[in-house]
């Protein structure tokens, strides 16, 4: 996956999380992820598999 795409996705996730008023830990818990995993997504280090995303 291209680093720019991971970074843009992570930035969007962070924006949506902050708009919802949730901490990173609370948001990760709602998603069923560890907080460290969520941090890596938000910083663009990781991109979650599509099957992990819930719509």
């Amino acid at each position: 996956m291209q680093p720019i795409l991971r970074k843009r996705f992570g930035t969007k996730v962070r924006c949506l999380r902050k708009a919802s008023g949730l901490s990173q830990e609370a948001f990760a818990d709602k998603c069923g992820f560890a907080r460290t995993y969520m941090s890596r997504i938000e910083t663009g280090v990781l991109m979650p598999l599509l099957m992990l995303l819930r719509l």
Side-chain angles (χ1 to χ4, degrees):
M1 185 70 53
Q2 293 182 352
I4 291 174
L5 183 57
R6 285 193 314 256
K7 183 69 174 166
R8 287 179 65 195
F9 181 79
T11 299
K12 186 65 171 177
V13 168
R14 179 180 287 133
C15 253
L16 292 171
R17 173 183 62 79
K18 286 184 175 187
S20 70
L22 293 172
S23 68
Q24 194 175 63
E25 187 171 0
F27 188 69
D29 188 51
K30 281 186 170 273
C31 295
F33 297 154
R35 190 209 48 82
T36 54
Y37 186 69
M38 185 58 65
S39 173
R40 290 178 184 145
I41 291 171
E42 287 188 4
T43 57
V45 174
L46 294 176
M47 179 74 122
L49 295 172
L50 287 177
M51 60 188 193
L52 294 177
L53 300 176
R54 299 179 197 161
L55 299 177

